[in-house]
């Protein structure tokens, strides 16, 4: 019986969290992030303000409700990769399959890009993810987390989807960028002849 109660409780928490995130995105998209208060988000999700803060520590966090899941998946892509798979290929596959699914005209992406507070929050979030990913890469490779190769790969992996976002096939572009990192610059001349 306790398992059923625990399962029900966890489902209820997840539903409340999702209701808050959905209400926030809807209100912020309709009226602008700066024009909506957290109390309004709580009311729209039919929960108390204290319940909102149990799930989200700040107004900005309402938009980034998958923050912990994203970080966990990044670390897992390295730690739980297939036997014999390189960390580079594991990251390439993870980023191409998960971080390129959001189109550039997605309402959340547009909201974040147009709101300075959300852009700053996203920058800090990605910085945390970069540190966690570098630690996982260091564990996997035996290098120090601050080794330029480890830090560089972590930064590259997180930035590649942003570079690829506007291409016609973002997942392919991410794979191409990782191939460039793996194989080096080719001798194919650029438009300016270099």
């Amino acid at each position: 019986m306790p398992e059923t109660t625990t399962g029900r409780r966890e489902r209820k928490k997840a539903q409340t969290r999702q209701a808050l995130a959905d209400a926030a995105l809807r209100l912020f998209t309709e009226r602008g992030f700066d024009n909506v208060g957290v109390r309004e988000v709580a009311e729209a999700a039919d929960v108390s303000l204290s319940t909102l803060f149990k799930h989200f520590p700040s107004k900005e966090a309402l938009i980034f409700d998958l923050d912990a899941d994203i970080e966990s998946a990044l670390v897992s892509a390295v730690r739980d990769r297939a036997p014999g798979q390189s960390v580079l290929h594991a990251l390439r596959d993870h980023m191409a399959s998960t971080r390129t699914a959001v189109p550039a005209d997605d309402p959340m992406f547009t909201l974040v890009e147009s709101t300075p507070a959300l852009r700053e929050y996203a920058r800090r979030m990605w910085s945390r993810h970069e540190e966690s990913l570098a630690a996982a890469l260091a564990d996997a490779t035996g290098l120090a987390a601050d080794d330029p190769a480890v830090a560089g790969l972590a930064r590259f992996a997180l930035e590649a989807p942003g570079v690829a976002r506007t291409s016609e096939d973002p997942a392919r572009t991410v794979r191409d960028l990782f191939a460039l990192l793996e194989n080096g610059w080719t001798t194919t001349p650029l438009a300016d002849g270099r």
Side-chain angles (χ1 to χ4, degrees), residues 1-164:
M1 193 79 121
E3 289 180 32
T4 304
T5 304
T6 302
R8 189 175 319 131
R9 188 177 300 127
E10 292 307 313
R11 280 194 308 277
K12 179 70 173 154
K13 284 182 183 178
Q15 289 170 346
T16 299
R17 186 173 175 80
Q18 189 62 56
L20 284 162
D22 290 347
L25 181 59
R26 180 178 52 78
L27 290 170
F28 295 160
T29 301
E30 288 172 0
R31 297 180 21 217
F33 179 80
D34 295 327
N35 299 321
V36 177
V38 289
R39 185 174 303 280
E40 293 172 90
V41 174
E43 288 171 2
D46 197 26
V47 301
S48 69
L49 192 57
S50 63
T51 298
L52 180 147
F53 284 117
K54 285 179 187 173
H55 291 278
F56 296 97
S58 68
K59 182 179 173 182
E60 293 82 5
L62 285 159
I63 291 299
F64 299 98
D65 62 309
L66 299 177
D67 181 11
D69 295 340
I70 292 168
E71 184 172 332
S72 177
L74 279 166
V75 170
S76 181
V78 172
R79 289 192 177 143
D80 302 333
R81 67 190 186 281
Q85 185 181 35
S86 72
V87 293
L88 185 68
H89 290 172
L91 281 173
R92 175 202 63 204
D93 295 347
H94 175 73
M95 299 311 270
S97 67
T98 63
R99 303 310 309 156
T100 59
V102 180
D105 63 350
D106 178 81
M108 187 179 112
F109 180 76
T110 303
L111 177 66
V112 171
E113 287 300 303
S114 66
T115 309
L118 292 175
R119 279 197 319 268
E120 177 59 22
Y121 186 93
R123 187 193 63 72
R124 289 191 318 268
M125 180 184 74
W126 281 112
S127 181
R128 285 192 319 274
H129 295 336
E130 185 178 321
E131 290 173 14
S132 296
L133 180 55
L137 288 167
D139 287 345
T141 62
L143 297 170
D146 63 351
D147 183 288
V150 170
L153 179 54
R155 169 87 44 95
F156 175 86
L158 291 172
E159 294 293 333
V163 171

